[in-house]
Amino acid sequence: MPSYFTDKSIAAVCASNVNRSMEAHYLFLRKGVQNVYSFGTSSQVKLPGTTQATPNIYDFKKTYAEIYEDLIAKDEEFYRRKGLLSMIHRNMKVKPRPQRFQDEVSLQFDIIFTFEDRVYDVIVDDLLHREASSHQPVHIINFTIKDSHEDAIVGARNVYRLFQIINSKGDTWVDEVDAAIDEFKESSDVDHSILHCTMFY
């Protein structure tokens, strides 16, 4: 990877910091991109339960290990079959616990990838209401990705592909994000609705 981009800070954000953002975080790390973070935006971490009426709800202070053990205690066979245990186990390899974007106000990023319109709107609103500090630009890019394990894998690959195209723009990348998105759309066989805006810290 070119040295000019290795110090760029990247965030992947979904609702609960369990599936889509963590799959992207995990992929970026495996590809050698170290300066990457992941977050959720909801008030609590929400996972499917054994019925629609009984979701599993956790505080963001809960570690992935604690969530893993809780799911095992409730119904190990069910959550293993549904893929939740493997998902949480993957997360445990990446970082200790889920994080909420709005709580990490000291961190600043060059690119923030989101995975649904609602999360994109929360990020834009949060940054809009922060007190100006460094005036550093941040590009917020949204891919609408269904919150399933299979779609998260495909979504992470697409986000990484767009990152590669942005990365290829060299020192002028900050002015060529829209061009990179257009190039991604032209080279992809999937119809993507991608939102993009630039804001400032």
Side-chain angles (χ1 to χ4, degrees), residues 82-163:
K82 290 296 184 180
L84 264 68
L85 292 183
S86 61
M87 184 186 302
I88 301 300
H89 188 262
R90 173 207 60 201
N91 297 353
M92 291 162 60
K93 298 177 183 178
V94 175
K95 62 180 186 178
R97 63 174 178 83
Q99 294 170 274
R100 189 169 180 265
F101 180 86
Q102 299 93 316
D103 297 334
E104 307 290 344
V105 295
S106 64
L107 297 174
Q108 297 188 357
F109 304 98
D110 295 290
I111 303 173
I112 299 173
F113 291 107
T114 62
F115 295 93
E116 61 180 284
D117 291 359
R118 178 168 55 95
V119 172
Y120 176 87
D121 291 341
V122 169
I123 298 294
V124 170
D125 185 69
D126 181 75
L127 293 176
L128 189 64
H129 289 91
R130 290 188 188 184
E131 185 176 348
S133 55
S134 66
H135 303 289
Q136 172 186 320
V138 53
H139 291 269
I140 307 167
I141 302 171
N142 182 72
F143 280 71
T144 299
I145 304 297
K146 185 180 178 181
D147 193 7
S148 71
H149 182 63
E150 295 78 12
D151 286 286
I153 292 173
V154 174
R157 290 172 182 165
N158 285 326
V159 165
Y160 181 72
R161 173 58 185 148
L162 176 56
F163 166 80

